[in-house]
Amino acid sequence: MPVQQDDPSAPWFEPGVFAVVPGIYRIPLPLHDELRAVNVYAIEDSGGFTLIDSGQVMAEAREQLESSLKQLGAGLPDVRQFLVTHAHRDHYTQAVAVRREFGTRVSLGAGERPSLQAAADPAVPAYREQLADLRRHGAAELADQIVPLLADETVPHTAWEQPDTWLEPGAHLPVGRRRLNARATPGHTRGHLVYFEHQDRLLFAGDHILPHITPSIGLEPATVASPLGDYLSSLRDVRTLPDARLLPAHGPVAASSHARIDELLIHHDTRLQAVAAAIEGGARTALDVSRVLLWTRRDRAFRTLAPFHQMLAVIETVYHLRLLTAQGRLTGAERDGVIRYAPTVG
């Protein structure tokens, strides 16, 4: 199959190699979940390629990456480096596997260090902090239901290793004739980076800005106090960059990073209002609030979600409640091991 021009109206997750601009290609690699695929971006670099993200370590993704590079007249030994946006399995783990074979350099944001250390530690159970938050926020039964399901949601501890380079925010990275700027965008994960390309005004956005869905917040082994507050600040920071074509990890290339950032800011403001209204209406725990709200872009009721996605919903609600509390709009107090919220009086 020849290299094709990228068509945003076509199914974005179909396999192939799609030219974004001359010298930059989008390569969707398969996933085994509802996201369907992750976009890896190949940039021509000194007789080879730099890849933004790597895909997940699994046979189908490896085969598709090799096939796609072959269409570009290259192979895995021609990958000069991986610039990874964050340490989630579908972005990082295949880079580790390729490095073991070919010595390819792997770079990752320095803020990911605590989570990567935890992910590689067999003594740290999967989703330890998220399960603890479920129990603290009224969803202990859900936590018990999820524990036996987590084997399908994780990769082995051996899939994780340290990168060759910990990238600091603001790093300027020469890639062939191009220059990328690494911008810190904590929220989705604490060390998430986006890469801004100046020549053609391209934003390699990872999971920070997605065109059709809102990214999960703080779903990582080592969480921070207010990932939602961090995320909203990061969106506003990236909004100060020149408007750019949005090159997301999941979904089609979009024309305007600014337009999508504005939509996401509005979404979370609306969500904060809905969470506050649920508390004012008598909900007291994060689980209570989650049951009141609708979920996904299809407006699904909480009870219709699979258990793992119910966990994601409750955790997202926890972070909205924390931000509202930090803003002084709600109060929270722990009683009998469960945190309950109420409107601020006065």
Side-chain angles (χ1 to χ4, degrees), residues 5-346:
Q5 287 301 121
D6 209 352
D7 178 3
S9 66
W12 70 272
F13 46 82
E14 294 294 337
V17 179
F18 304 92
V20 178
V21 296
I24 298 182
Y25 307 91
R26 183 177 66 86
I27 301 173
L29 299 182
L31 297 173
H32 289 163
D33 56 31
E34 71 284 348
L35 292 173
R36 307 190 71 165
V38 58
N39 290 322
V40 170
Y41 295 93
I43 307 174
E44 292 180 359
D45 182 4
S46 303
F49 290 90
T50 284
L51 299 190
I52 307 290
D53 288 330
S54 72
Q56 185 166 325
V57 59
M58 59 188 209
E60 301 96 312
R62 169 67 176 254
E63 291 167 5
Q64 186 58 52
L65 181 57
E66 290 180 328
S67 173
S68 298
L69 289 171
K70 186 176 181 180
Q71 293 178 52
L72 295 171
L76 287 175
D78 299 301
V79 177
R80 301 285 178 256
Q81 62 178 333
F82 290 98
L83 299 178
V84 182
T85 58
H86 62 295
H88 278 169
R89 61 185 182 180
D90 53 331
H91 297 255
Y92 189 68
T93 56
Q94 185 155 240
V96 171
V98 171
R99 181 179 63 180
R100 288 171 179 167
E101 291 185 54
F102 301 103
T104 316
R105 291 193 64 80
V106 177
S107 298
L108 182 68
E112 295 290 71
R113 194 188 301 262
S115 284
L116 191 60
Q117 182 176 350
D121 186 348
V124 177
Y127 299 99
R128 174 183 61 180
E129 295 194 20
Q130 287 74 25
L131 292 170
D133 268 338
L134 291 184
R135 299 182 192 283
R136 284 193 294 264
H137 291 273
E141 290 184 7
L142 177 59
D144 292 339
Q145 186 180 1
I146 285 172
V147 169
L149 306 177
L150 289 181
D152 294 333
E153 297 291 341
T154 58
V155 297
H157 293 287
T158 54
W160 309 96
E161 291 178 356
Q162 302 289 301
D164 298 285
T165 302
W166 290 108
L167 293 174
E168 296 295 337
H172 292 278
L173 308 167
V175 179
R177 61 186 178 85
R178 300 175 182 275
R179 179 169 56 91
L180 305 184
N181 175 247
R183 196 87 166 198
T185 49
H188 179 64
T189 66
R190 61 194 295 163
H192 193 291
L193 296 175
V194 301
Y195 300 99
F196 184 81
E197 194 277 335
H198 296 260
Q199 178 176 304
D200 288 302
R201 286 195 178 181
L202 305 173
L203 185 68
F204 298 92
D207 284 359
H208 180 59
I209 307 166
L210 301 176
H212 293 156
I213 60 177
T214 56
S216 63
I217 304 299
L219 190 65
E220 54 192 333
T223 59
V224 298
S226 183
L228 179 59
D230 292 344
Y231 180 65
L232 297 177
S233 295
S234 297
L235 285 176
R236 296 186 183 102
D237 179 59
V238 175
R239 185 63 168 75
T240 67
L241 291 170
D243 197 13
R245 288 181 72 185
L246 175 64
L247 277 57
H250 308 285
V253 172
S256 170
S257 58
H258 284 187
R260 183 55 179 156
I261 288 170
D262 292 344
E263 291 172 353
L264 288 167
L265 289 169
I266 290 170
H267 164 80
H268 281 289
D269 183 64
T270 301
R271 202 65 167 175
L272 286 165
Q273 302 302 329
V275 170
I279 295 296
E280 291 166 1
R284 287 295 172 260
T285 68
L287 178 62
D288 294 338
V289 175
S290 299
R291 287 170 169 165
V292 172
L293 302 177
L294 297 176
W295 296 95
T296 81
R297 54 181 173 161
R298 297 177 179 85
D299 286 340
R300 294 179 59 186
F302 179 82
R303 67 179 183 279
T304 69
L305 302 177
F308 186 78
H309 291 90
Q310 288 185 348
M311 178 180 79
L312 298 184
V314 174
I315 296 303
E316 180 177 317
T317 301
V318 167
Y319 295 145
H320 282 79
L321 287 164
R322 285 185 188 172
L323 184 56
L324 289 165
T325 302
Q327 293 172 345
R329 298 169 63 180
L330 301 177
T331 60
E334 185 172 337
R335 187 174 72 251
D336 300 326
V338 175
I339 299 174
R340 292 174 171 83
Y341 295 87
T344 300
V345 178

